[in-house]
């Protein structure tokens, strides 16, 4: 933690008091350095990730960088400088995962789900080793009184807790087992602490529906978070993130990370299961199923629009991913 805790999620920083404090600045990254980051497993990539002191979990290598949208330049945060984006490498074991995630995120946005801004960084061809996935950090915020460093505005760090932390569940238990009712516990968490509990419960309900339809069986509780306001007086459900259709990969599990109506296997979940789950979490059946039916009805148009957007950017192969989602995700039962 002393080595990698300088730029954690949220506002907490974990530093070694005996270590030398580096000068706080933003260093411009050259194109060659960005391309090195895309080369997963390469020495330069590992060094950059380590130097960023970014403490994040997940399957792909990640680094926290600062992005200046007007110049489209990337900067490396040094010292106490906060990053603005999390940049993830493509993954050698999962084909086209960057395009997969961006397709899922845009589809979610088209269905009205709040997501952070994200985009694909192409540093060469569209091969998996030459692209990165950049997500704007929702736990970093610019204000009118933001400081300026090296000519760049410095964002504030907003605090967040993922649901495993907030519920006191160990990271190793982030996948629900034996009917532990993680969704019900998550809804109760929002009822108790959200500044707008009704709105946030419905947002979470929509996220769960979408995970099922798109075939995201990696929907564990560490991919859900509470986001605090700058003054720590307000708590809201954070935007949805880390949404990937895992079902398009042959070696992925068919069991959802949170049960729906007592069922884990995505192929056995149906509208009736969501009806049972609605009653389990304390929702009115009619309201819960109205959200479900609306999401199902709009899914194909939403993924078509997302696919068209990415294809127009040169990622023609997303149409294949789209077809696999329609064939293997939960949406297949309603086509």
């Amino acid at each position: 933690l002393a080595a990698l805790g300088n730029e954690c999620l949220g506002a907490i920083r974990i530093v070694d008091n005996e270590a030398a404090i580096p000068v706080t600045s933003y260093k411009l990254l050259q194109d060659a350095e960005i391309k090195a980051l895309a080369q997963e497993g390469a020495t330069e990539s590992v060094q950059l990730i380590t130097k960023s002191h970014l403490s994040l979990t997940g399957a792909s290598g990640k680094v926290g960088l600062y992005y200046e949208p007007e110049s489209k330049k990337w900067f490396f945060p040094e010292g106490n400088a906060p990053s603005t984006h999390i940049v993830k490498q493509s993954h050698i074991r999962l084909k086209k995962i960057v395009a997969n995630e961006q397709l899922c995120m845009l589809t979610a946005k088209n269905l009205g789900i709040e997501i952070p801004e994200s985009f694909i960084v192409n540093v060469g061809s569209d091969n998996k080793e030459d692209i990165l996935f950049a997500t704007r950090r929702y736990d970093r915020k610019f204000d009118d009184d933001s400081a300026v460093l090296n000519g760049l505005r410095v964002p504030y760090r907003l605090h967040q807790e993922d649901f495993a932390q907030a519920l006191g569940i160990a990271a190793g238990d982030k996948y629900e087992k034996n009917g532990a009712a993680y969704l019900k516990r998550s809804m109760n968490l929002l009822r108790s602490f959200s500044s707008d509990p009704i709105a946030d419960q419905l947002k979470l309900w929509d996220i769960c529906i979408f995970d099922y339809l798109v075939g995201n069986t990696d929907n564990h509780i560490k991919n859900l978070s509470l986001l605090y306001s700058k003054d720590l007086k307000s708590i809201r459900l954070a935007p949805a993130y880390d949404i990937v259709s895992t079902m398009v990969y042959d070696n992925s599990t068919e069991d959802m990370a949170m049960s729906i109506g007592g069922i884990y296997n995505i192929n056995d979940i149906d509208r009736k299961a969501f009806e049972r789950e609605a009653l389990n979490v304390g929702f009115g059946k009619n309201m819960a199923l109205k959200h479900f039916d609306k999401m199902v009805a709009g899914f194909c148009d939403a993924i078509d629009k997302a696919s068209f957007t990415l294809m127009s950017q040169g990622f023609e192969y997303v149409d294949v991913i789209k077809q696999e989602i329609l064939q293997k995700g939960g949406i297949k039962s309603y086509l």
Side-chain angles (χ1 to χ4, degrees):
L1 288 175
L4 295 174
N6 197 49
E7 180 67 335
C8 300
L9 292 175
I12 293 176
R13 296 175 58 248
I14 301 170
V15 296
D16 183 354
N17 287 332
E18 298 181 359
I21 301 176
V23 176
T24 298
S25 65
Y26 288 114
K27 174 190 173 185
L28 177 65
L29 287 175
Q30 303 300 319
D31 291 344
E33 293 175 290
I34 298 295
K35 187 163 187 175
L37 175 60
Q39 306 296 320
E40 184 169 66
T43 302
E44 295 84 354
S45 170
V46 174
Q47 288 177 345
L48 185 58
I49 291 171
T50 303
K51 286 180 181 178
S52 74
H53 301 290
L54 180 68
S55 179
L56 291 172
T57 57
S60 300
K62 303 181 180 74
V63 63
L65 300 178
Y66 186 107
Y67 182 64
E68 206 292 303
E70 292 187 6
S71 65
K72 297 183 179 181
K73 296 292 186 181
W74 290 97
F75 297 82
F76 182 78
E78 298 181 313
N80 295 334
S83 57
T84 61
H85 287 68
I86 294 172
V87 182
K88 296 194 292 188
Q89 298 166 318
S90 187
H91 201 280
I92 55 175
R93 291 175 297 172
L94 299 177
K95 184 179 180 182
K96 310 297 186 185
I97 192 172
V98 168
N100 182 336
E101 184 165 358
Q102 182 66 342
L103 177 63
C104 292
M105 294 291 279
L106 291 179
T107 303
K109 180 181 179 181
N110 293 339
L111 285 168
I113 294 174
E114 183 184 7
I115 63 165
E117 173 194 331
S118 60
F119 54 94
I120 295 174
V121 182
N122 195 334
V123 296
S125 68
D126 63 357
N127 292 326
K128 62 179 179 294
E129 70 271 14
D130 288 329
I131 61 176
L132 299 162
F133 186 69
T135 304
R136 181 166 180 164
R137 300 189 64 159
Y138 58 72
D139 59 343
R140 301 292 181 263
K141 181 182 179 182
F142 292 101
D143 269 348
D144 293 337
D145 59 347
S146 292
V148 176
L149 178 64
N150 301 128
L152 302 171
R153 296 177 65 209
V154 181
Y156 285 96
R157 290 180 169 93
L158 300 180
H159 189 52
Q160 75 161 19
E161 295 175 80
D162 69 48
F163 275 35
Q165 293 170 318
L167 291 168
I169 296 172
D173 295 324
K174 64 185 181 181
Y175 297 100
E176 180 189 322
K177 297 177 183 177
N178 303 319
Y182 280 3
L183 184 53
K184 181 178 181 178
R185 294 169 68 179
S186 297
M187 292 294 186
N188 287 337
L189 181 71
L190 293 173
R191 289 190 186 101
S192 299
F193 296 102
S194 170
S195 299
D196 193 343
I198 295 177
D200 281 347
Q201 287 176 79
L202 289 175
K203 287 182 179 180
L204 178 54
W205 182 247
D206 286 347
I207 291 171
C208 291
I209 296 169
F210 182 76
D211 282 333
Y212 160 68
L213 294 177
V214 84
N216 175 27
T217 60
D218 198 41
N219 59 325
H220 56 75
I221 54 173
K222 289 189 73 66
N223 281 343
L224 299 168
S225 290
L226 299 174
L227 181 64
Y228 288 69
S229 62
K230 179 181 173 183
D231 60 8
L232 301 178
K233 293 181 179 180
S234 174
I235 300 175
R236 296 299 307 272
L237 177 67
Y241 58 94
D242 277 358
I243 298 177
V244 173
S245 179
T246 56
M247 286 296 292
V248 305
Y249 303 110
D250 292 337
N251 61 346
S252 68
T253 178
E254 295 181 348
D255 285 345
M256 302 290 285
M258 291 191 287
S259 63
I260 300 295
I263 300 174
Y264 288 98
N265 191 294
I266 189 172
N267 297 310
D268 296 330
I269 295 172
D270 56 14
R271 189 175 184 272
K272 283 287 187 181
F274 274 91
E275 180 179 338
R276 290 195 302 275
E277 189 62 31
L279 297 176
N280 183 50
V281 302
F283 278 2
K285 181 182 74 172
N286 292 338
M287 179 273 297
L289 292 182
K290 181 178 179 181
H291 277 248
F292 181 87
D293 293 338
K294 182 178 179 181
M295 196 79 67
V296 169
F299 188 90
C300 288
D301 285 343
I303 198 170
D304 283 345
K305 182 179 178 182
S307 177
F308 179 80
T309 296
L310 289 173
M311 290 177 68
S312 67
Q313 296 172 1
F315 301 100
E316 292 87 356
Y317 53 81
V318 298
D319 187 62
V320 175
I321 301 174
K322 181 189 77 172
Q323 295 302 327
E324 290 179 336
I325 290 173
L326 295 176
Q327 294 169 11
K328 298 179 181 179
I331 187 63
K332 67 180 183 294
S333 299
Y334 309 93
L335 297 179

